[in-house]
Amino acid sequence: MAATAAWLAPPSRTELIENLVSGVDRYNPSNVGILEDYLYHQIRSEEYDCLANLAILKLYQFNPDLFNPDVVINILLKALTAEPFPDFNLCISLLDDRPPNSTLDEPDPLPTLLPLVMNLYNLLHQCRFSAFWVLYRSDELEVIRENYTVECAGFEDAIREVAARSVKVTFTRISSERLGTYVDLSGPELEAWVAKQRWSFDSSTGVVSIPPNPDNQIESVVIQEHINLPQLSKVISHTVQVR
Amino acid sequence: MAHQRVALWAAEPDLDDDINDTDVDIPIPMPSSTNEMYDDPNLQLDEGSLQAMQQHIAQQAAFAQVPDVVKRFIVHFHQAVLDNNLQEVTLAYESGWTRLTEKYYAKTEWPEAETIAPLVNDDQIFLILYRELYYRHVYSRLQPNVDDRFHSYENSCELFNYLLNSDGPVSLSLPANWLWDIIDEFIYQFQSFSLFRSRPASKTDDELTMLGSEGGAQAWSSYSVLNVLYSLIQKSRANEWLKARAEGKTDEEIEEIVGEYGTKPLYRMLGYFSIIGLLRVHVLLGDFTLALKVMENVGLGQKAPFTAPTAVHVSTAYHAGICYFMLRRIPDAARVFTGVLNWVMRARQYHTRSYQYDQINKTADRMYALLALCHVLAPTRLDDNVMNIVRERYGDQMGRMGRGEEGLSTFEELFLYACPKFICANSPPYDDPVALASMLIPPTPTSPSSQNPSVVLGDPTQRHLRTASSHFISLTPVSSLKSLLKLYTSLDAQKLTGFLDTSGAGVDEEEVLSWMMVMKNAGRCVGRVTTGGTAANGEKDNDDGSRPTESLLGGEWMSISDLNFVIDQNMVHIAESTVGRRYAGWFIRNSEHAARVLDGIKASPLPPRTAPTQVQKKSADVPKGEGAPRTTGQKVAWGGVKVA
């Protein structure tokens, strides 16, 4: 499986959605409801489909009257959990400038919430996981927690996965105390989480060992060049012609 | 050799008298459309005919001012188009038009289409093509006003309408260069209009009225532009054609698949160019995944299925590279840029005459700048020839960017120079003066207008810049970290923190560890696994990652850093990889070059009688040239020709 296979086409994507994502029907504004429903399905069932969510933002880009700020915030929060893939930035790239919104009954929450979500993203991108949790649990972010992530099943676990991805490639062993601050867990909860990662926890020393993977095993190598046949095709075909 | 023949209209002016002028002096018939325009019942009949008359006279006067050479050119051009004489059309398009532009219209418009209409028997199709050239000239040489912008849109619509909605495929045949220029220019004008539209502050009342009208909202809308491109792709079945070719179908099968439109070169090329046009439109609108997705059947780096103009390759590589750059797939971006820049360098001598030549050079320079950015974000070893030019042009900037945070302004400067002018999909609310006015009020932090999301997001280019520079900022600690780690094979994290906290800025171990994780993440990325030899260094196969990935968005994890490390509790272990010297590229390039030289010599005619002395002279000169390729094979080659 290519590293991007699940990103390009998650196994949970239905044929209907696949047709919308890959066909020209993605431009049809009347399909926005189907995609939005799919987003809320992702939120409920811990699934994630970046390209389908980008298709929603695309429809918003072309049809500003469809724009739904709650959907946008949910998409961005989902994209946070994809780090170190660039999904978050891809979503931001599609958030076009819009004329001040007059069609909504309530004031548009996006201008106040977007900077908060961006701060969260920056902390994750800079691998400042402890700081992420501090900010995430702060009063300032209550509005995000109460209105959005509470609905998003497994959001915190998904963020822990982000941390786990960075830890896994960087460490062979890490103190449980430090790991705890990265994933905002301690005690038995942390032990359970470590076990779920299939990492091992030594309770006498308080050290978590991470099994070897291609990235946390290092060796000095001298890289030799490889020559593939196609590179030589011109030279070889020429020698044949000469004869 | 069509280019060596001097066409009638390209002859020197003093020869003009010899050529009969009869077909030029056509009296202008009253264009029927003029009458309709003045069919306004409110106008007095006399006044109406008076105006028509004045118009008629003005047009005659304009016609009289058109130089005879130009008149002859247009007649000839029209005839070539009528005859579907591809060679003559190409000649007129590539050299005739350019020459006459330099001579007569370097600073003014070409004659209006209405003025020259009598020369071409009011041939509406030719007039559409003529206006295509007319407006392109206005956009490239002059400053298009708001009328030009709307009219060029209408003309493009007429052209595409004719191509797509006639009964069956039209019998026109146009050279590949022109077809590409049509698509390219269509998108350029769309981009230009969107930028023009996005600045409401500097508009005159006239412009505001036009943009606020119903037609103003429709003109150059994103949907209409996408509609044209998708229609051309679908009509010509370009994607099906590319797929069938890739599957190795026979010509008969392919003919059946592509249908009556797709078998015509005109539609086939337009369809293919439209795919590349879509790539560009999606990039301009900031949709980098969709942009690469539409290119799925075209692919990158493969040979185009027909001799496509250089500009096509350059545009493809530039925009695809931007996509990879924004997807943070730096090695992929660098590879795409390097590939095409190498190609442009070698092909330089062949495309000097193209109208696109300046554009190609400009885009190439942007790609060198982007390569400098790539190199800062993810230093990988690239092709030496290309990298030397990057250093030559952007060496200073690269040095500054390598110095951490103070390099940010340089990074931003270079990004703004090298990135395309991104556009916004929608118009500001020109139809709603109140909303428009509220946009024009400069936002202050306290005023309620900060509710406007544009304050948060900014214009598209700023937004993309921000995402790129936030990545740059996150990487700023990496370079000093790297240079420190290079000195050790193992190092205590606390000690490392001490080294980094030289200024007493309060860098703590946790912060250093987060930098280490950033560095580790930056040292690996997803990239396309290629079968070619130009893949990034240190490419590492994951479990079963050796399979080539077809999709442009697909990829495998690879390690792109020569400095690797791992942390065992508090101890950092470091390993550095080195790259062995590479010979293959040099050897292959020079073998191919030698082969070309050999072929060239063999293909040239036998030397005339005086030749032997010349040859001797030449070979005598060679040893003096330092670093010149050894040419001892030359004599043998001559001998071979004599035998043959």
Side-chain angles (χ1 to χ4, degrees), chain B residues 441-578:
Chain B
I441 301 165
T444 52
T446 49
S447 83
S449 69
S450 63
Q451 287 297 313
N452 182 353
S454 68
V455 179
V456 184
L457 292 165
D459 79 68
T461 303
Q462 286 298 325
R463 203 164 64 234
H464 300 310
L465 170 68
R466 197 128 22 109
T467 62
S469 39
S470 84
H471 185 51
F472 175 80
I473 291 170
S474 78
L475 293 182
T476 45
V478 169
S479 62
S480 52
L481 202 53
K482 208 170 175 177
S483 48
L484 260 174
L485 290 180
K486 274 197 177 190
L487 305 173
Y488 296 86
T489 51
S490 61
L491 176 65
D492 187 75
Q494 235 169 350
K495 208 166 153 195
L496 178 63
T497 310
F499 288 148
L500 289 164
D501 193 22
T502 44
S503 54
V507 178
D508 65 2
E509 195 176 324
E510 279 309 313
E511 189 159 11
V512 172
L513 285 178
S514 72
W515 292 348
M516 302 283 280
M517 283 190 274
V518 167
M519 179 175 166
K520 192 82 187 192
N521 282 334
R524 53 201 289 281
C525 80
V526 169
R528 261 150 56 78
V529 179
T530 50
T531 43
T534 46
N537 295 323
E539 192 174 294
K540 184 165 51 180
D541 291 349
N542 273 357
D543 309 332
D544 56 350
S546 51
R547 197 165 43 90
T549 340
E550 294 291 329
S551 152
L552 296 190
L553 280 169
E556 300 292 346
W557 279 108
M558 50 174 72
S559 164
I560 51 168
S561 173
D562 53 350
L563 189 77
N564 211 343
F565 69 91
V566 73
I567 307 174
D568 183 2
Q569 290 201 69
N570 287 321
M571 189 56 85
V572 186
H573 298 280
I574 302 128
E576 200 177 350
S577 297
T578 44

Side-chain angles (χ1 to χ4, degrees), chain A residues 149-166:
Chain A
T149 54
V150 68
E151 308 280 343
C152 183
F155 175 76
E156 292 176 12
D157 276 339
I159 296 292
R160 290 186 184 109
E161 273 310 309
V162 173
R165 284 196 280 269
S166 286

Side-chain angles (χ1 to χ4, degrees), chain A residues 4-70:
Chain A
T4 46
W7 182 75
L8 282 171
S12 56
R13 188 190 284 170
T14 60
E15 202 174 320
L16 173 71
I17 301 294
E18 168 63 28
N19 288 339
L20 284 185
V21 170
S22 301
V24 284
D25 234 14
R26 59 159 38 237
Y27 297 105
N28 185 347
S30 57
N31 288 327
V32 75
I34 302 174
L35 289 165
E36 286 172 347
D37 288 347
Y38 180 50
L39 169 72
Y40 283 105
H41 168 79
Q42 293 170 41
I43 287 173
R44 283 191 305 271
S45 34
E46 295 191 44
E47 288 170 9
Y48 176 58
D49 190 339
C50 177
L51 296 189
N53 297 345
L54 288 173
I56 301 180
L57 295 178
K58 185 93 202 166
L59 280 170
Y60 288 177
Q61 185 185 32
F62 284 164
N63 307 280
D65 44 328
L66 296 179
F67 194 88
N68 180 342
D70 288 338

